[in-house]
Amino acid sequence: MASLTKSNLPRFTADIFQNEYLAEGAREVNAIVTVTATGGGTTGGRPVGLAADAGPDAGGQAAVVIMVDCSGSMDYPPTKMRNARDATAVAIDTIRDGVAFAVVAGTHEAREVYPGGGELAIASSASREAAKQSLRKLTAGGGTAIGTWLTLADKLFLTRREIAIRHGILLTDGRNEHEKPEDLQRTLERVGGHFTADCRGVGTDWELPELRRISSALLGTADIVAEPSGLADDFRSMMTAAMGKQVADVALRVWTPANAAVKFVKQVAPDLEDLTERRAEAGPRAGDYPTGSWGDESRDYHVCVEVPAAGVGNEMLAARISLVLPQPDGTTEVLAQGLVKAVWTDDLASSTRISPQVAHYTGQAELASAIQEGLEARRAGDLDTATAKLGAAVRLAHESGNEGTFKLLQGVVEVQDVKQGTVRIRQNVSEADSMTLETRSTKTVRVSPKK
């Protein structure tokens, strides 16, 4: 493991966890890459591009656009719109001085609420107060076309092209009924890579696959706020996280030798996200996978490489993993690097041992699939399949120490034998409990110390 840093960057490290020993003829190499950024975010690092001698209010080098659903359904009940206004006010209060920001009202079209004029405001005591006063313009009425919200946010961000860290917060309570799916997809393809976005569904009338598609394309998170009264805390948390970002557009670069190929690259913590299809070629036998913006945080990635079969005693470098940051002159800076190796052996104990980290995250992926398949079977009325899948999920959550998911599962099933995964489907499960479990099924836990 090695790390390279500049004074205005967080310090990145890349640690590789794998069992490098393969049986004779085996071709698949698996590794967990733990990427950690420290020294930025809340510990005092400066955003990339901010001069070392600049004051705390100079430039900010970050921009945020808050997109609030104002469709007619937000008035049922009326407390939903009021809670959305209150939450937006809390988010505005959390924006640090110098950050560029705007508020957008979203219906079947997008409308600037603050500051207006196709621009971003610069956060200060005065502008934050003015933005909060403008929130009375957030009134419910009209339909839902999320692509128009994202398009307006993109236009606003592009007015400040010099700002590296661009982040959106998107709130909706319903389905994207006034826009064709293919139109939304074209919008996502157009704005993807321009900014990241965290998406929240309030209540239970929105579509999880739709919201997850948006957050995935924009390298953000998707979550449920079942009760509108919870919006303020959630908005504060999202904005605090956004304010901690210090470097944008970091990519995970995977180089493989001749005759080797990447099978997949997935983020496995803190959320599951398949990055395989988002590869951008980066020179001979190398590809970049986007990771978005970073503050003080750590994430895990599962990299699987297929190598040529070899005999006992052979060894090779299966992959070189780098964290890279594009530079204005078109070059890239290597922030951290690690190596994935393969060694063929006839020692059965060595070749059959599974890396604890690889095993753990394979189990977390199985847990998410079991939950999603179980809930789908329950909706279809196939209680036998639902019971089997959700029972397997209970067992996997218990074995991996995923206490948050285990607790959510208990809202949907009665656990009779946790070790065997024996459960009974609860009667009269609320839609909120079911949606919360499904929405958060992709949230993972790190490998416990005992592993």
Side-chain angles (χ1 to χ4, degrees):
M1 182 270 293
S3 64
L4 303 174
T5 63
K6 278 188 175 181
S7 60
N8 64 340
L9 288 177
R11 179 177 181 270
F12 280 84
T13 60
D15 293 295
I16 307 293
F17 299 94
Q18 66 164 137
N19 175 22
E20 61 193 41
Y21 293 101
L22 303 178
E24 183 176 10
R27 301 188 60 192
E28 190 173 284
V29 182
N30 289 275
I32 299 299
V33 184
T34 295
V35 178
T36 304
T38 55
T42 57
T43 62
R46 290 182 178 276
V48 174
L50 189 59
D53 58 352
D57 299 342
Q61 290 302 303
V64 179
V65 175
I66 305 171
M67 294 162 274
V68 181
D69 191 336
C70 291
S71 60
S73 57
M74 285 291 288
D75 231 0
Y76 300 95
T79 52
K80 193 189 295 182
M81 194 73 247
R82 184 169 69 247
N83 286 133
R85 289 191 204 97
D86 292 345
T88 304
V90 167
I92 290 169
D93 276 335
T94 312
I95 300 173
R96 69 170 181 260
D97 284 353
V99 169
F101 76 103
V103 179
V104 168
T107 58
H108 54 281
E109 56 187 7
R111 176 172 54 87
E112 296 174 50
V113 172
Y114 184 84
E119 298 178 347
L120 295 169
I122 301 301
S124 65
S125 297
S127 64
R128 282 191 291 268
E129 185 59 33
K132 289 188 290 183
Q133 291 298 321
S134 75
L135 297 182
R136 58 178 174 271
K137 299 177 186 176
L138 294 176
T139 56
T144 306
I146 295 175
T148 66
W149 315 356
L150 299 171
T151 296
L152 178 54
D154 191 44
K155 289 180 180 177
L156 291 168
F157 284 127
L158 288 174
T159 65
R160 299 294 301 272
R161 293 174 182 268
E162 76 280 7
I163 295 177
I165 297 172
R166 300 174 294 273
H167 191 79
I169 289 177
L170 187 152
L171 174 71
T172 186
D173 79 326
R175 298 168 179 83
N176 199 41
E177 294 177 336
H178 292 79
E179 184 175 42
K180 295 178 180 179
E182 54 268 30
D183 291 336
L184 175 60
Q185 184 58 38
R186 279 193 289 270
T187 298
L188 292 173
E189 291 171 358
R190 185 174 67 254
V191 307
H194 295 183
F195 61 96
T196 58
D198 289 325
C199 304
R200 294 296 182 266
V202 59
T204 59
D205 292 330
W206 50 280
E207 293 283 349
L208 175 58
E210 189 171 76
L211 206 64
R212 192 170 274 161
R213 178 157 62 107
I214 296 168
S215 65
S216 177
L218 300 178
L219 296 174
T221 63
D223 205 350
I224 181 174
V225 184
E227 296 297 330
S229 59
L231 283 171
D233 285 343
D234 196 77
F235 268 44
R236 180 185 294 107
S237 177
M238 281 193 290
M239 189 61 77
T240 298
M243 292 298 95
K245 301 300 183 182
Q246 291 290 308
V247 57
D249 302 325
V250 175
L252 191 75
R253 177 169 294 176
V254 182
W255 174 90
T256 52
N259 301 318
V262 176
K263 289 191 69 174
F264 63 76
V265 175
K266 300 176 181 179
Q267 179 181 290
V268 290
D271 298 276
L272 296 173
E273 185 67 54
D274 194 340
L275 302 174
T276 309
E277 299 302 318
R278 306 188 67 168
R279 176 185 173 107
E281 296 304 317
R285 301 192 301 278
D288 286 353
Y289 301 85
T291 69
S293 302
W294 288 74
D296 279 341
E297 58 189 297
S298 183
R299 306 178 201 169
D300 290 344
Y301 298 88
H302 186 171
V303 177
C304 180
V305 177
E306 190 171 75
V307 297
V312 172
N314 284 279
E315 59 181 270
M316 68 175 290
L317 175 63
R320 182 171 62 242
I321 314 293
S322 307
L323 267 291
V324 299
L325 179 66
Q327 301 297 301
D329 62 2
T331 62
T332 55
E333 179 186 356
V334 178
L335 304 174
Q337 196 171 93
L339 305 178
V340 178
K341 301 176 182 179
V343 179
W344 283 266
T345 180
D346 56 4
D347 181 354
L348 188 62
S350 296
S351 63
T352 57
R353 185 175 65 248
I354 301 176
S355 161
Q357 288 80 6
V358 172
H360 174 80
Y361 286 120
T362 300
Q364 293 288 284
E366 291 173 359
L367 169 59
S369 295
I371 291 172
Q372 293 163 16
E373 292 169 10
L375 291 174
E376 181 61 33
R378 177 179 169 274
R379 284 192 290 267
D382 183 355
L383 294 186
D384 287 343
T385 299
T387 301
K389 292 291 184 180
L390 293 174
V394 164
R395 176 179 54 79
L396 289 166
H398 172 71
E399 290 175 351
S400 65
N402 195 328
E403 296 178 1
T405 297
F406 183 80
K407 184 177 180 180
L408 292 175
L409 279 162
Q410 288 179 301
V412 178
V413 299
E414 297 175 9
V415 180
Q416 297 172 317
D417 187 326
V418 67
K419 292 184 178 180
Q420 296 298 319
T422 305
V423 302
R424 178 184 293 126
I425 303 292
R426 289 187 183 275
Q427 301 296 315
N428 304 317
V429 175
S430 73
E431 185 64 19
D433 283 346
S434 178
M435 282 193 70
T436 301
L437 173 60
E438 186 169 13
T439 302
R440 297 179 183 169
S441 63
T442 57
K443 293 187 181 298
T444 60
V445 292
R446 311 298 284 270
V447 180
S448 62
K450 66 181 180 180
K451 295 187 178 185

Coordinates of all heavy atoms in Angstrom, one line a residue, residues 336-406:
A336 N -3.4 7.2 -4.5 CA -3.1 6.0 -3.7 C -3.0 4.8 -4.6 O -3.6 4.9 -5.8 CB -4.1 5.8 -2.6
Q337 N -2.4 3.8 -4.2 CA -2.2 2.6 -5.1 C -2.0 1.3 -4.3 O -1.5 1.3 -3.2 CB -1.0 2.8 -6.0 CG -0.9 1.9 -7.2 CD 0.3 2.4 -8.1 OE1 1.4 1.9 -8.0 NE2 0.0 3.3 -9.0
G338 N -2.5 0.2 -4.8 CA -2.4 -1.1 -4.2 C -2.3 -2.2 -5.3 O -2.7 -1.9 -6.4
L339 N -1.8 -3.3 -5.0 CA -1.6 -4.4 -5.9 C -2.4 -5.6 -5.5 O -2.6 -6.0 -4.4 CB -0.1 -4.8 -6.0 CG 0.9 -3.7 -6.3 CD1 2.3 -4.3 -6.2 CD2 0.6 -3.1 -7.6
V340 N -3.0 -6.3 -6.6 CA -3.7 -7.6 -6.4 C -2.9 -8.6 -7.1 O -2.5 -8.5 -8.2 CB -5.1 -7.5 -7.1 CG1 -5.8 -8.8 -6.9 CG2 -5.9 -6.3 -6.5
K341 N -2.6 -9.7 -6.3 CA -1.7 -10.7 -6.8 C -2.4 -12.1 -6.9 O -3.5 -12.3 -6.4 CB -0.5 -10.9 -5.8 CG 0.3 -9.6 -5.6 CD 1.3 -9.8 -4.5 CE 2.1 -8.5 -4.3 NZ 3.1 -8.6 -3.2
A342 N -1.8 -13.0 -7.7 CA -2.3 -14.4 -7.8 C -1.1 -15.3 -7.8 O -0.1 -15.1 -8.4 CB -3.0 -14.5 -9.2
V343 N -1.2 -16.3 -6.9 CA -0.2 -17.3 -6.7 C -0.8 -18.7 -6.8 O -1.7 -19.0 -6.0 CB 0.6 -17.2 -5.4 CG1 1.6 -18.2 -5.2 CG2 1.2 -15.8 -5.3
W344 N -0.4 -19.6 -7.7 CA -1.0 -20.9 -7.8 C -0.3 -21.9 -6.9 O 1.0 -21.9 -6.9 CB -1.0 -21.4 -9.3 CG -2.0 -20.7 -10.1 CD1 -3.3 -21.1 -10.4 CD2 -1.9 -19.4 -10.7 NE1 -4.0 -20.2 -11.1 CE2 -3.1 -19.1 -11.4 CE3 -0.9 -18.4 -10.8 CZ2 -3.4 -17.9 -12.1 CZ3 -1.1 -17.3 -11.5 CH2 -2.4 -17.0 -12.2
T345 N -1.1 -22.7 -6.2 CA -0.5 -23.6 -5.2 C -1.2 -24.9 -5.2 O -2.4 -25.0 -5.6 CB -0.5 -23.0 -3.8 OG1 0.0 -23.9 -2.9 CG2 -1.9 -22.7 -3.4
D346 N -0.6 -26.0 -4.8 CA -1.3 -27.3 -4.6 C -1.6 -27.5 -3.1 O -2.0 -28.6 -2.7 CB -0.4 -28.4 -5.1 CG 1.0 -28.5 -4.5 OD1 1.3 -27.7 -3.6 OD2 1.8 -29.4 -4.9
D347 N -1.4 -26.5 -2.3 CA -1.8 -26.6 -0.9 C -3.3 -26.3 -0.7 O -3.7 -25.1 -0.9 CB -1.0 -25.5 -0.1 CG -1.3 -25.6 1.4 OD1 -2.2 -26.3 1.8 OD2 -0.6 -24.8 2.2
L348 N -4.0 -27.3 -0.5 CA -5.5 -27.2 -0.5 C -6.0 -26.2 0.6 O -6.9 -25.4 0.4 CB -6.1 -28.6 -0.2 CG -7.6 -28.7 -0.3 CD1 -8.1 -28.3 -1.7 CD2 -8.1 -30.0 0.1
A349 N -5.3 -26.2 1.7 CA -5.7 -25.3 2.8 C -5.5 -23.8 2.4 O -6.4 -23.0 2.7 CB -4.9 -25.5 4.1
S350 N -4.5 -23.5 1.7 CA -4.2 -22.2 1.2 C -5.2 -21.8 0.1 O -5.8 -20.7 0.1 CB -2.8 -22.0 0.7 OG -1.9 -22.2 1.8
S351 N -5.4 -22.6 -0.9 CA -6.2 -22.3 -2.0 C -7.7 -22.2 -1.8 O -8.4 -21.6 -2.5 CB -5.9 -23.2 -3.2 OG -6.3 -24.5 -2.9
T352 N -8.2 -22.9 -0.7 CA -9.6 -22.9 -0.4 C -10.0 -21.9 0.7 O -11.2 -21.7 1.0 CB -10.1 -24.3 0.0 OG1 -9.3 -24.7 1.2 CG2 -9.9 -25.3 -1.1
R353 N -9.0 -21.2 1.2 CA -9.3 -20.2 2.3 C -9.8 -19.0 1.6 O -9.3 -18.4 0.7 CB -8.0 -19.9 3.1 CG -8.3 -18.9 4.2 CD -7.0 -18.7 5.1 NE -6.0 -18.0 4.3 CZ -4.9 -18.6 3.9 NH1 -4.6 -19.8 4.2 NH2 -4.0 -17.9 3.2
I354 N -11.0 -18.5 2.1 CA -11.6 -17.3 1.5 C -11.3 -16.1 2.4 O -11.3 -16.2 3.6 CB -13.1 -17.5 1.4 CG1 -13.5 -18.7 0.6 CG2 -13.8 -16.2 0.9 CD1 -15.0 -19.0 0.5
S355 N -10.8 -15.0 1.8 CA -10.6 -13.8 2.5 C -11.8 -13.4 3.3 O -12.9 -13.4 2.8 CB -10.2 -12.7 1.5 OG -10.3 -11.4 2.1
P356 N -11.6 -13.1 4.6 CA -12.8 -12.7 5.4 C -13.5 -11.5 4.9 O -14.7 -11.5 4.9 CB -12.2 -12.4 6.8 CG -10.9 -13.2 6.8 CD -10.4 -13.2 5.4
Q357 N -12.8 -10.6 4.3 CA -13.4 -9.4 3.7 C -14.2 -9.7 2.5 O -15.4 -9.3 2.3 CB -12.4 -8.3 3.4 CG -11.7 -7.6 4.6 CD -10.6 -8.5 5.2 OE1 -10.3 -9.6 4.7 NE2 -10.1 -8.0 6.4
V358 N -13.7 -10.6 1.6 CA -14.4 -11.0 0.4 C -15.7 -11.8 0.8 O -16.7 -11.6 0.3 CB -13.5 -11.8 -0.5 CG1 -14.3 -12.4 -1.7 CG2 -12.4 -11.0 -1.1
A359 N -15.5 -12.7 1.8 CA -16.6 -13.5 2.2 C -17.7 -12.6 2.8 O -18.9 -12.8 2.6 CB -16.2 -14.6 3.2
H360 N -17.3 -11.6 3.6 CA -18.3 -10.8 4.3 C -19.1 -10.0 3.3 O -20.3 -10.0 3.4 CB -17.5 -9.8 5.2 CG -18.4 -8.8 5.8 ND1 -19.2 -9.0 6.9 CD2 -18.7 -7.5 5.5 CE1 -19.9 -7.9 7.3 NE2 -19.6 -7.0 6.4
Y361 N -18.5 -9.4 2.3 CA -19.2 -8.5 1.4 C -20.0 -9.4 0.3 O -21.0 -8.9 -0.2 CB -18.3 -7.5 0.7 CG -17.9 -6.4 1.7 CD1 -16.6 -6.2 2.0 CD2 -18.9 -5.6 2.3 CE1 -16.2 -5.2 2.9 CE2 -18.5 -4.6 3.2 CZ -17.2 -4.4 3.5 OH -16.9 -3.4 4.4
T362 N -19.5 -10.6 0.0 CA -20.3 -11.5 -0.8 C -21.6 -11.8 0.0 O -22.7 -11.8 -0.6 CB -19.6 -12.8 -1.1 OG1 -18.4 -12.5 -1.8 CG2 -20.4 -13.7 -1.9
G363 N -21.5 -12.0 1.3 CA -22.7 -12.2 2.1 C -23.6 -11.0 2.2 O -24.9 -11.1 2.2
Q364 N -23.1 -9.8 2.2 CA -23.9 -8.6 2.2 C -24.6 -8.4 0.9 O -25.8 -8.0 0.9 CB -23.0 -7.4 2.5 CG -22.4 -7.3 3.9 CD -23.3 -7.0 5.0 OE1 -23.8 -5.9 5.2 NE2 -23.7 -8.0 5.7
A365 N -24.0 -8.8 -0.2 CA -24.7 -8.7 -1.5 C -25.9 -9.8 -1.5 O -27.0 -9.5 -2.0 CB -23.7 -9.0 -2.6
E366 N -25.6 -10.9 -1.0 CA -26.6 -12.0 -0.9 C -27.8 -11.5 0.0 O -29.0 -11.8 -0.3 CB -26.0 -13.3 -0.4 CG -25.1 -14.0 -1.3 CD -24.4 -15.1 -0.7 OE1 -24.6 -15.4 0.5 OE2 -23.6 -15.8 -1.4
L367 N -27.5 -10.8 1.1 CA -28.5 -10.3 2.0 C -29.4 -9.3 1.3 O -30.6 -9.4 1.4 CB -27.8 -9.6 3.2 CG -28.6 -8.8 4.1 CD1 -29.7 -9.6 4.7 CD2 -27.8 -8.1 5.2
A368 N -28.8 -8.4 0.5 CA -29.6 -7.4 -0.2 C -30.5 -8.1 -1.2 O -31.7 -7.8 -1.3 CB -28.7 -6.4 -0.9
S369 N -30.0 -9.1 -2.0 CA -30.8 -9.8 -2.9 C -31.9 -10.6 -2.3 O -33.1 -10.6 -2.8 CB -29.9 -10.8 -3.7 OG -29.0 -10.1 -4.5
A370 N -31.6 -11.2 -1.1 CA -32.7 -12.0 -0.5 C -33.8 -11.1 0.0 O -35.0 -11.5 -0.1 CB -32.0 -12.7 0.7
I371 N -33.5 -9.9 0.5 CA -34.5 -9.0 0.9 C -35.4 -8.6 -0.2 O -36.6 -8.6 -0.2 CB -33.9 -7.8 1.6 CG1 -33.3 -8.2 3.0 CG2 -34.9 -6.7 1.8 CD1 -32.5 -7.1 3.6
Q372 N -34.7 -8.1 -1.3 CA -35.5 -7.6 -2.5 C -36.3 -8.7 -3.1 O -37.5 -8.5 -3.5 CB -34.5 -7.0 -3.5 CG -33.8 -5.8 -2.9 CD -32.5 -5.4 -3.7 OE1 -32.3 -5.9 -4.8 NE2 -31.7 -4.5 -3.1
E373 N -35.8 -9.9 -3.2 CA -36.5 -11.0 -3.8 C -37.7 -11.4 -2.9 O -38.8 -11.8 -3.3 CB -35.6 -12.2 -4.1 CG -34.6 -11.9 -5.2 CD -33.6 -13.0 -5.3 OE1 -33.7 -14.0 -4.7 OE2 -32.6 -12.7 -6.1
G374 N -37.4 -11.4 -1.6 CA -38.5 -11.8 -0.6 C -39.6 -10.8 -0.6 O -40.8 -11.2 -0.6
L375 N -39.3 -9.5 -0.6 CA -40.4 -8.6 -0.7 C -41.2 -8.6 -2.0 O -42.4 -8.4 -2.0 CB -39.8 -7.2 -0.4 CG -39.3 -6.9 1.0 CD1 -38.6 -5.6 1.1 CD2 -40.4 -7.0 2.0
E376 N -40.5 -8.8 -3.1 CA -41.2 -9.0 -4.4 C -42.1 -10.2 -4.4 O -43.3 -10.1 -4.8 CB -40.2 -9.1 -5.5 CG -40.8 -9.2 -6.9 CD -41.6 -8.0 -7.3 OE1 -41.2 -6.8 -6.8 OE2 -42.6 -8.1 -8.0
A377 N -41.7 -11.3 -3.8 CA -42.5 -12.5 -3.7 C -43.7 -12.2 -2.8 O -44.8 -12.6 -3.1 CB -41.7 -13.7 -3.2
R378 N -43.5 -11.5 -1.7 CA -44.6 -11.1 -0.8 C -45.7 -10.3 -1.5 O -46.9 -10.5 -1.4 CB -44.1 -10.4 0.4 CG -45.1 -9.9 1.4 CD -44.5 -9.2 2.6 NE -45.5 -8.5 3.4 CZ -46.0 -7.3 3.1 NH1 -45.4 -6.6 2.1 NH2 -46.9 -6.8 3.9
R379 N -45.2 -9.3 -2.3 CA -46.2 -8.5 -3.1 C -46.9 -9.3 -4.1 O -48.1 -9.0 -4.4 CB -45.4 -7.3 -3.8 CG -45.0 -6.2 -2.9 CD -44.5 -5.0 -3.6 NE -43.3 -5.2 -4.3 CZ -42.1 -5.0 -3.8 NH1 -42.0 -4.4 -2.6 NH2 -41.0 -5.2 -4.5
A380 N -46.3 -10.3 -4.6 CA -46.9 -11.2 -5.6 C -47.8 -12.2 -5.0 O -48.5 -13.0 -5.7 CB -45.9 -11.8 -6.5
G381 N -47.8 -12.3 -3.7 CA -48.7 -13.3 -3.0 C -48.0 -14.7 -2.9 O -48.7 -15.6 -2.4
D382 N -46.7 -14.8 -3.2 CA -46.0 -16.1 -3.1 C -45.4 -16.1 -1.7 O -44.2 -15.8 -1.5 CB -45.0 -16.2 -4.2 CG -44.2 -17.5 -4.2 OD1 -44.4 -18.3 -3.3 OD2 -43.4 -17.7 -5.1
L383 N -46.1 -16.5 -0.7 CA -45.7 -16.5 0.7 C -44.6 -17.5 1.0 O -43.8 -17.3 1.9 CB -46.8 -16.6 1.7 CG -47.9 -15.5 1.6 CD1 -48.9 -15.7 2.7 CD2 -47.2 -14.1 1.8
D384 N -44.6 -18.6 0.3 CA -43.6 -19.6 0.5 C -42.2 -19.1 0.1 O -41.2 -19.2 0.9 CB -43.9 -20.9 -0.3 CG -45.0 -21.7 0.3 OD1 -45.4 -21.5 1.5 OD2 -45.6 -22.5 -0.4
T385 N -42.1 -18.5 -1.1 CA -40.8 -17.9 -1.5 C -40.4 -16.8 -0.6 O -39.3 -16.6 -0.2 CB -40.9 -17.5 -3.0 OG1 -41.2 -18.6 -3.8 CG2 -39.6 -16.8 -3.4
A386 N -41.4 -15.9 -0.3 CA -41.1 -14.8 0.6 C -40.6 -15.2 1.9 O -39.6 -14.6 2.4 CB -42.4 -13.9 0.8
T387 N -41.2 -16.2 2.5 CA -40.7 -16.7 3.8 C -39.3 -17.3 3.7 O -38.5 -17.0 4.6 CB -41.7 -17.8 4.3 OG1 -43.0 -17.3 4.5 CG2 -41.2 -18.4 5.7
A388 N -39.0 -18.0 2.6 CA -37.7 -18.6 2.5 C -36.6 -17.5 2.3 O -35.6 -17.5 2.9 CB -37.7 -19.6 1.3
K389 N -36.9 -16.6 1.4 CA -36.0 -15.5 1.1 C -35.7 -14.6 2.3 O -34.6 -14.3 2.7 CB -36.4 -14.7 -0.1 CG -36.4 -15.4 -1.4 CD -35.0 -15.7 -1.9 CE -35.0 -16.4 -3.2 NZ -33.6 -16.7 -3.7
L390 N -36.8 -14.2 3.0 CA -36.7 -13.3 4.1 C -36.1 -14.0 5.3 O -35.3 -13.4 6.1 CB -38.0 -12.7 4.5 CG -38.6 -11.7 3.4 CD1 -40.0 -11.2 3.8 CD2 -37.6 -10.5 3.2
G391 N -36.3 -15.3 5.4 CA -35.6 -16.1 6.5 C -34.1 -16.2 6.2 O -33.3 -16.0 7.2
A392 N -33.8 -16.4 5.0 CA -32.3 -16.4 4.6 C -31.7 -15.0 4.9 O -30.6 -14.9 5.4 CB -32.1 -16.7 3.2
A393 N -32.5 -13.9 4.7 CA -32.0 -12.6 5.0 C -31.8 -12.4 6.5 O -30.8 -11.8 6.9 CB -33.0 -11.5 4.5
V394 N -32.7 -12.9 7.3 CA -32.5 -12.8 8.8 C -31.2 -13.5 9.2 O -30.4 -13.0 10.0 CB -33.7 -13.4 9.5 CG1 -33.4 -13.7 10.9 CG2 -34.9 -12.5 9.3
R395 N -31.0 -14.7 8.7 CA -29.8 -15.4 9.0 C -28.5 -14.7 8.6 O -27.6 -14.6 9.4 CB -29.8 -16.8 8.4 CG -28.6 -17.7 8.6 CD -28.7 -19.0 7.9 NE -29.0 -19.0 6.5 CZ -28.1 -18.7 5.6 NH1 -26.8 -18.5 5.9 NH2 -28.5 -18.6 4.3
L396 N -28.5 -14.2 7.4 CA -27.3 -13.5 6.9 C -27.1 -12.2 7.6 O -26.0 -11.8 7.9 CB -27.5 -13.1 5.4 CG -27.4 -14.3 4.4 CD1 -28.0 -14.0 3.1 CD2 -26.0 -14.8 4.3
A397 N -28.2 -11.4 8.0 CA -28.0 -10.2 8.7 C -27.4 -10.5 10.1 O -26.6 -9.8 10.6 CB -29.4 -9.5 8.9
H398 N -27.9 -11.6 10.7 CA -27.4 -12.0 12.1 C -25.9 -12.4 12.0 O -25.1 -11.9 12.8 CB -28.3 -13.1 12.6 CG -27.7 -13.7 13.9 ND1 -27.8 -13.0 15.1 CD2 -27.1 -14.9 14.1 CE1 -27.2 -13.8 16.0 NE2 -26.8 -14.9 15.5
E399 N -25.6 -13.2 11.0 CA -24.2 -13.7 10.9 C -23.2 -12.6 10.6 O -22.1 -12.6 11.1 CB -24.2 -14.7 9.8 CG -24.9 -16.1 10.1 CD -24.9 -17.0 8.9 OE1 -24.5 -16.6 7.8 OE2 -25.3 -18.2 9.1
S400 N -23.6 -11.6 9.9 CA -22.7 -10.5 9.5 C -22.7 -9.3 10.4 O -21.9 -8.4 10.3 CB -23.1 -10.0 8.1 OG -24.4 -9.4 8.1
G401 N -23.6 -9.4 11.4 CA -23.6 -8.3 12.4 C -24.3 -7.0 11.9 O -24.1 -5.9 12.4
N402 N -25.1 -7.2 10.8 CA -25.9 -6.0 10.3 C -27.1 -5.8 11.1 O -28.2 -6.2 10.8 CB -26.2 -6.3 8.8 CG -26.6 -5.0 8.1 OD1 -27.2 -4.1 8.7 ND2 -26.3 -5.0 6.8
E403 N -26.9 -5.1 12.3 CA -28.0 -5.0 13.2 C -29.1 -4.1 12.7 O -30.3 -4.3 13.0 CB -27.5 -4.4 14.5 CG -26.5 -5.4 15.2 CD -25.9 -4.8 16.5 OE1 -26.3 -3.6 16.9 OE2 -25.1 -5.5 17.2
G404 N -28.7 -3.1 11.9 CA -29.7 -2.2 11.4 C -30.7 -2.9 10.5 O -31.9 -2.7 10.6
T405 N -30.2 -3.7 9.5 CA -31.1 -4.5 8.6 C -31.8 -5.5 9.4 O -33.0 -5.8 9.1 CB -30.2 -5.1 7.5 OG1 -29.6 -4.1 6.8 CG2 -31.1 -6.0 6.6
F406 N -31.2 -6.2 10.4 CA -31.9 -7.2 11.2 C -33.1 -6.6 11.9 O -34.2 -7.1 11.9 CB -31.0 -7.8 12.2 CG -31.6 -8.9 13.1 CD1 -31.7 -10.2 12.6 CD2 -32.0 -8.6 14.3 CE1 -32.2 -11.2 13.3 CE2 -32.6 -9.6 15.1 CZ -32.7 -10.9 14.6

